[in-house]
Amino acid sequence: MIPAAWRTAAGIPHGKLECAAETVGDAVEWLVTAHPELEPRVLAEPGRLVSWVSLYLGADDIRDLDGLNTTVPPESEIVVLPALAGG
């Protein structure tokens, strides 16, 4: 699932995209290849997420799993959550 503001920037009409990926890292690579305008919002450098984005595989933060090497079971959903700022 892609955040609403990112969908607008990337011209994605709805919040869900589908791809075949073995790992979360493969899915991220697919995302930034298919929608290069999202790369600076997701990756600090190849293979490293920016610090202000969290990725969840289902209900689990990938940081608590195997990071970008986390295996993605069939029919799973990866949720992208950018950090919220405010005061």
Side-chain angles (χ1 to χ4, degrees), residues 48-63:
R48 190 169 71 96
L49 293 174
V50 294
S51 61
W52 58 85
V53 166
S54 296
L55 297 180
Y56 287 82
L57 180 63
D60 298 314
D61 188 328
I62 66 161
R63 291 182 196 118

Side-chain angles (χ1 to χ4, degrees), residues 61-71:
D61 188 328
I62 66 161
R63 291 182 196 118
D64 297 332
L65 302 171
D66 199 14
L68 291 173
N69 294 319
T70 302
T71 301

Side-chain angles (χ1 to χ4, degrees), residues 4-5 19 22 25 28 33 37 40-41 47 65 72 74 85:
C19 76
E22 291 186 26
V28 169
T33 299
E37 55 280 330
R41 296 177 188 227
L65 302 171
V72 179

